[in-house]
Amino acid sequence: KNEVEQSPQNLTAQEGEFITINCSYSVGISALHWLQQHPGGGIVSLFMLSSGKKKHGRLIATINIQEKHSSLHITASHPRDSAVYICALISSGSARQLTFGSGTQLTVLP
Amino acid sequence: GAGVSQSPSNKVTEKGKDVELRCDPISGHTALYWYRQRLGQGLEFLIYFQGNSAPDKSGLPSDRFSAERTGESVSTLTIQRTQQEDSAVYLCASSLVTAGNTIYFGEGSWLTVV
C-alpha cells in the first residue's frame, strides 16, 4: 500500500463547480503540501499544512491529523484551474524528503 | 534571485554522453532537493541537501547519477553515460530550512536522450 493515496485520479468539472480532491496517508507526518503542476511542467506550492485549514483566494485546504486525511477544495472553478494537483507529505522525524501522491488531473470545462 | 533557477531548460543529448544540470536556489534557502518526473509519471525524489550536512542520496537511481552542492548555493546534478530511460524533467526545489517550510520549485530541466 502506498503511503499516500490521492483521489480521484482524474476529475472533469464544469466551470463554476465546487471541486474536492482528497489525500489520505498512512504514516505520521509533520506537514503536508498541496502542489499544482501546470501542463508545461512547472510546479507551484499552494499550501503547507500541519493542522487545521488554510484559505487562499478560491482555494481551501484542510487537514485532519487524527484521520490522516487532507482535502483541497476549489470554489467557483475556472478553466485556468486545470492542472495536476499533488499532495506531498513529510513523515514525522524526517525532514529530508517529500513523499508524493500520484496526483489528480483536473480539467475544468468552460 | 527571486525564484529557483534551473539551467538548461531543455537539453537533448546522445545516449552515452554525460550531462550536467544546474540549480540556483533562492538565496538563504538551506534545503535543496532534486526530483525527477518521467513522462506521464509522478515525481521521484533523487537527492536532498541541507546546509553542511551529508546529503540524502537515497533516491539516486544508479551510480551514474551524482549531485554536488557548494555550501548553501548552487547545485549540479550530473548524469554520466546517459541512457534513454534518463529522459525526464529534472526539477529542483528549495526551502528555507526543511520541507516543513514552503517549498519553491524551479521550472525544471527537460532532458531528452536520443
Side-chain angles (χ1 to χ4, degrees):
Chain A
K1 187 181 187 301
N2 293 332
E3 289 183 347
V4 189
E5 299 274 357
Q6 270 188 251
S7 64
Q9 281 191 311
N10 291 280
L11 180 57
T12 300
Q14 290 294 137
E15 183 173 356
E17 285 186 9
F18 180 85
I19 287 162
T20 296
I21 299 170
N22 295 299
C23 178
S24 295
Y25 51 92
S26 57
V27 297
I29 68 168
S30 57
L32 181 146
H33 293 261
W34 279 103
L35 310 173
Q36 180 191 54
Q37 185 171 31
H38 283 282
I43 295 178
V44 174
S45 176
L46 299 173
F47 296 103
M48 194 275 293
L49 292 164
S50 53
S51 65
K53 175 180 173 179
K54 286 190 177 180
K55 184 176 189 293
H56 181 71
R58 295 180 296 105
L59 301 176
I60 303 166
T62 63
I63 189 167
N64 185 318
I65 297 294
Q66 287 73 30
E67 294 185 5
K68 292 186 165 58
H69 182 267
S70 177
S71 293
L72 176 68
H73 305 285
I74 306 175
T75 62
S77 59
H78 190 276
R80 64 174 174 267
D81 297 326
S82 298
V84 175
Y85 293 84
I86 304 166
C87 73
L89 54 90
I90 305 105
S91 300
S92 298
S94 170
R96 289 178 171 262
Q97 55 179 282
L98 296 173
T99 302
F100 295 96
S102 56
T104 295
Q105 173 69 64
L106 171 65
T107 304
V108 182
L109 302 174
Chain B
V4 178
S5 177
Q6 289 189 246
S7 62
S9 53
N10 284 284
K11 174 76 175 177
V12 180
T13 190
E14 290 181 352
K15 179 180 170 181
K17 295 282 178 73
D18 297 352
V19 295
E20 268 193 7
L21 308 176
R22 176 188 166 110
C23 173
D24 201 342
I26 293 172
S27 178
H29 281 193
T30 59
L32 186 147
Y33 314 79
W34 282 99
Y35 299 97
R36 176 173 74 174
Q37 187 173 35
R38 291 176 168 142
L39 190 63
Q41 298 189 22
L43 288 154
E44 301 173 71
F45 167 77
L46 295 177
I47 190 169
Y48 164 83
F49 295 91
Q50 172 56 277
N52 293 318
S53 302
D56 179 351
K57 303 180 182 180
S58 60
L60 294 178
S62 77
D63 59 8
R64 296 187 295 104
F65 288 72
S66 62
E68 292 184 351
R69 186 182 187 194
T70 307
E72 294 181 357
S73 61
V74 171
S75 175
T76 54
L77 176 69
T78 302
I79 309 172
Q80 295 178 307
R81 304 181 303 281
T82 52
Q83 303 294 313
Q84 287 185 326
E85 66 260 24
D86 300 334
S87 297
V89 60
Y90 290 82
L91 287 154
C92 177
S94 72
S95 65
L96 196 56
V97 177
T98 69
N101 292 276
T102 300
I103 290 179
Y104 298 84
F105 284 82
E107 291 295 314
S109 291
W110 292 81
L111 175 65
T112 304
V113 182
V114 298

